[in-house]
PDB file of all heavy atoms in Angstrom:
ATOM      1  N   GLU A   4      74.213 148.667 127.786  1.00  0.00           N
ATOM      2  CA  GLU A   4      74.185 147.243 127.445  1.00  0.00           C
ATOM      3  C   GLU A   4      73.817 146.396 128.655  1.00  0.00           C
ATOM      4  O   GLU A   4      73.046 145.442 128.566  1.00  0.00           O
ATOM      5  CB  GLU A   4      75.557 146.828 126.912  1.00  0.00           C
ATOM      6  CG  GLU A   4      75.865 147.471 125.558  1.00  0.00           C
ATOM      7  CD  GLU A   4      77.234 147.039 125.061  1.00  0.00           C
ATOM      8  OE1 GLU A   4      77.900 146.283 125.809  1.00  0.00           O
ATOM      9  OE2 GLU A   4      77.617 147.423 123.935  1.00  0.00           O
ATOM     10  N   ALA A  17      53.493 143.994 132.657  1.00  0.00           N
ATOM     11  CA  ALA A  17      52.364 143.112 132.365  1.00  0.00           C
ATOM     12  C   ALA A  17      52.810 141.782 131.800  1.00  0.00           C
ATOM     13  O   ALA A  17      52.161 140.757 131.995  1.00  0.00           O
ATOM     14  CB  ALA A  17      51.430 143.817 131.377  1.00  0.00           C
ATOM     15  N   GLY A  21      51.668 138.186 133.504  1.00  0.00           N
ATOM     16  CA  GLY A  21      50.768 137.300 132.777  1.00  0.00           C
ATOM     17  C   GLY A  21      51.362 135.960 132.435  1.00  0.00           C
ATOM     18  O   GLY A  21      50.647 135.074 131.965  1.00  0.00           O
ATOM     19  N   PRO A  23      52.495 132.247 132.899  1.00  0.00           N
ATOM     20  CA  PRO A  23      52.150 131.208 133.884  1.00  0.00           C
ATOM     21  C   PRO A  23      53.408 130.679 134.575  1.00  0.00           C
ATOM     22  O   PRO A  23      54.455 130.496 133.944  1.00  0.00           O
ATOM     23  CB  PRO A  23      51.472 130.122 133.047  1.00  0.00           C
ATOM     24  CG  PRO A  23      52.007 130.327 131.673  1.00  0.00           C
ATOM     25  CD  PRO A  23      52.239 131.810 131.527  1.00  0.00           C
ATOM     26  N   PHE A  38      36.406 115.566 144.780  1.00  0.00           N
ATOM     27  CA  PHE A  38      35.030 115.765 145.196  1.00  0.00           C
ATOM     28  C   PHE A  38      34.420 114.497 145.795  1.00  0.00           C
ATOM     29  O   PHE A  38      33.477 114.563 146.561  1.00  0.00           O
ATOM     30  CB  PHE A  38      34.190 116.236 144.005  1.00  0.00           C
ATOM     31  CG  PHE A  38      34.655 117.553 143.451  1.00  0.00           C
ATOM     32  CD1 PHE A  38      35.468 117.591 142.316  1.00  0.00           C
ATOM     33  CD2 PHE A  38      34.308 118.750 144.054  1.00  0.00           C
ATOM     34  CE1 PHE A  38      35.895 118.799 141.797  1.00  0.00           C
ATOM     35  CE2 PHE A  38      34.736 119.959 143.550  1.00  0.00           C
ATOM     36  CZ  PHE A  38      35.540 119.992 142.413  1.00  0.00           C
ATOM     37  N   ALA A  46      41.062  98.847 155.105  1.00  0.00           N
ATOM     38  CA  ALA A  46      40.047  98.844 156.161  1.00  0.00           C
ATOM     39  C   ALA A  46      38.710  98.326 155.626  1.00  0.00           C
ATOM     40  O   ALA A  46      38.028  97.535 156.287  1.00  0.00           O
ATOM     41  CB  ALA A  46      39.885 100.245 156.734  1.00  0.00           C
ATOM     42  N   GLY A  48      38.357  96.286 153.113  1.00  0.00           N
ATOM     43  CA  GLY A  48      38.512  94.849 152.863  1.00  0.00           C
ATOM     44  C   GLY A  48      38.411  94.042 154.141  1.00  0.00           C
ATOM     45  O   GLY A  48      37.784  92.970 154.167  1.00  0.00           O
ATOM     46  N   LYS A  53      35.096  90.479 157.728  1.00  0.00           N
ATOM     47  CA  LYS A  53      34.366  90.233 158.967  1.00  0.00           C
ATOM     48  C   LYS A  53      32.892  89.969 158.696  1.00  0.00           C
ATOM     49  O   LYS A  53      32.290  89.051 159.276  1.00  0.00           O
ATOM     50  CB  LYS A  53      34.521  91.429 159.910  1.00  0.00           C
ATOM     51  CG  LYS A  53      35.932  91.600 160.462  1.00  0.00           C
ATOM     52  CD  LYS A  53      36.002  92.805 161.381  1.00  0.00           C
ATOM     53  CE  LYS A  53      37.411  92.989 161.934  1.00  0.00           C
ATOM     54  NZ  LYS A  53      37.512  94.177 162.837  1.00  0.00           N
ATOM     55  N   GLY A  59      28.541  83.626 157.139  1.00  0.00           N
ATOM     56  CA  GLY A  59      28.702  82.185 156.964  1.00  0.00           C
ATOM     57  C   GLY A  59      28.632  81.393 158.248  1.00  0.00           C
ATOM     58  O   GLY A  59      29.056  80.230 158.266  1.00  0.00           O
ATOM     59  N   PHE A  63      24.258  83.844 162.389  1.00  0.00           N
ATOM     60  CA  PHE A  63      23.541  84.743 161.478  1.00  0.00           C
ATOM     61  C   PHE A  63      22.229  84.105 161.009  1.00  0.00           C
ATOM     62  O   PHE A  63      21.197  84.794 160.930  1.00  0.00           O
ATOM     63  CB  PHE A  63      24.433  85.070 160.285  1.00  0.00           C
ATOM     64  CG  PHE A  63      23.725  85.797 159.187  1.00  0.00           C
ATOM     65  CD1 PHE A  63      23.392  87.138 159.306  1.00  0.00           C
ATOM     66  CD2 PHE A  63      23.351  85.125 158.024  1.00  0.00           C
ATOM     67  CE1 PHE A  63      22.715  87.805 158.299  1.00  0.00           C
ATOM     68  CE2 PHE A  63      22.680  85.792 157.011  1.00  0.00           C
ATOM     69  CZ  PHE A  63      22.364  87.130 157.149  1.00  0.00           C
ATOM     70  N   MET A  67      18.636  85.790 161.726  1.00  0.00           N
ATOM     71  CA  MET A  67      17.780  86.155 160.597  1.00  0.00           C
ATOM     72  C   MET A  67      16.446  85.430 160.671  1.00  0.00           C
ATOM     73  O   MET A  67      15.374  86.010 160.383  1.00  0.00           O
ATOM     74  CB  MET A  67      18.489  85.819 159.282  1.00  0.00           C
ATOM     75  CG  MET A  67      17.730  86.309 158.046  1.00  0.00           C
ATOM     76  SD  MET A  67      18.635  86.006 156.513  1.00  0.00           S
ATOM     77  CE  MET A  67      18.636  84.209 156.478  1.00  0.00           C
ATOM     78  N   PRO A  91       1.250  91.012 151.405  1.00  0.00           N
ATOM     79  CA  PRO A  91       2.245  89.910 151.287  1.00  0.00           C
ATOM     80  C   PRO A  91       3.668  90.296 151.694  1.00  0.00           C
ATOM     81  O   PRO A  91       4.629  89.759 151.123  1.00  0.00           O
ATOM     82  CB  PRO A  91       2.188  89.551 149.821  1.00  0.00           C
ATOM     83  CG  PRO A  91       1.884  90.841 149.124  1.00  0.00           C
ATOM     84  CD  PRO A  91       1.045  91.643 150.088  1.00  0.00           C
ATOM     85  N   ALA A 103      20.713  90.410 150.274  1.00  0.00           N
ATOM     86  CA  ALA A 103      21.379  89.495 149.335  1.00  0.00           C
ATOM     87  C   ALA A 103      22.246  90.257 148.335  1.00  0.00           C
ATOM     88  O   ALA A 103      23.348  89.808 147.979  1.00  0.00           O
ATOM     89  CB  ALA A 103      20.330  88.662 148.602  1.00  0.00           C
ATOM     90  N   LEU A 109      30.158  91.530 148.981  1.00  0.00           N
ATOM     91  CA  LEU A 109      31.050  91.454 150.136  1.00  0.00           C
ATOM     92  C   LEU A 109      31.732  90.091 150.221  1.00  0.00           C
ATOM     93  O   LEU A 109      32.926  89.987 150.507  1.00  0.00           O
ATOM     94  CB  LEU A 109      30.272  91.735 151.415  1.00  0.00           C
ATOM     95  CG  LEU A 109      29.803  93.182 151.615  1.00  0.00           C
ATOM     96  CD1 LEU A 109      28.930  93.281 152.855  1.00  0.00           C
ATOM     97  CD2 LEU A 109      30.992  94.116 151.716  1.00  0.00           C
ATOM     98  N   ASP A 121      46.406  83.592 149.465  1.00  0.00           N
ATOM     99  CA  ASP A 121      46.825  82.234 149.106  1.00  0.00           C
ATOM    100  C   ASP A 121      47.875  82.254 148.008  1.00  0.00           C
ATOM    101  O   ASP A 121      48.826  81.454 148.030  1.00  0.00           O
ATOM    102  CB  ASP A 121      45.610  81.416 148.657  1.00  0.00           C
ATOM    103  CG  ASP A 121      44.624  81.179 149.791  1.00  0.00           C
ATOM    104  OD1 ASP A 121      45.040  81.300 150.964  1.00  0.00           O
ATOM    105  OD2 ASP A 121      43.449  80.885 149.502  1.00  0.00           O
ATOM    106  N   ASN A 124      51.134  83.234 149.588  1.00  0.00           N
ATOM    107  CA  ASN A 124      51.667  82.124 150.383  1.00  0.00           C
ATOM    108  C   ASN A 124      52.223  81.020 149.487  1.00  0.00           C
ATOM    109  O   ASN A 124      53.275  80.436 149.792  1.00  0.00           O
ATOM    110  CB  ASN A 124      50.566  81.556 151.286  1.00  0.00           C
ATOM    111  CG  ASN A 124      50.156  82.527 152.375  1.00  0.00           C
ATOM    112  OD1 ASN A 124      50.957  83.351 152.811  1.00  0.00           O
ATOM    113  ND2 ASN A 124      48.918  82.440 152.817  1.00  0.00           N
ATOM    114  N   ASP A 203     130.382  53.372 167.595  1.00  0.00           N
ATOM    115  CA  ASP A 203     131.289  53.938 168.605  1.00  0.00           C
ATOM    116  C   ASP A 203     130.503  54.795 169.570  1.00  0.00           C
ATOM    117  O   ASP A 203     129.631  55.552 169.152  1.00  0.00           O
ATOM    118  CB  ASP A 203     132.354  54.795 167.919  1.00  0.00           C
ATOM    119  CG  ASP A 203     133.236  53.936 167.045  1.00  0.00           C
ATOM    120  OD1 ASP A 203     133.370  52.720 167.354  1.00  0.00           O
ATOM    121  OD2 ASP A 203     133.764  54.464 166.074  1.00  0.00           O
TER     122      ASP A 203
END
Side-chain angles (χ1 to χ4, degrees):
E4 292 180 358
F38 298 99
K53 291 180 180 180
F63 171 74
M67 186 176 66
L109 290 174
D121 294 340
N124 292 332
D203 295 333

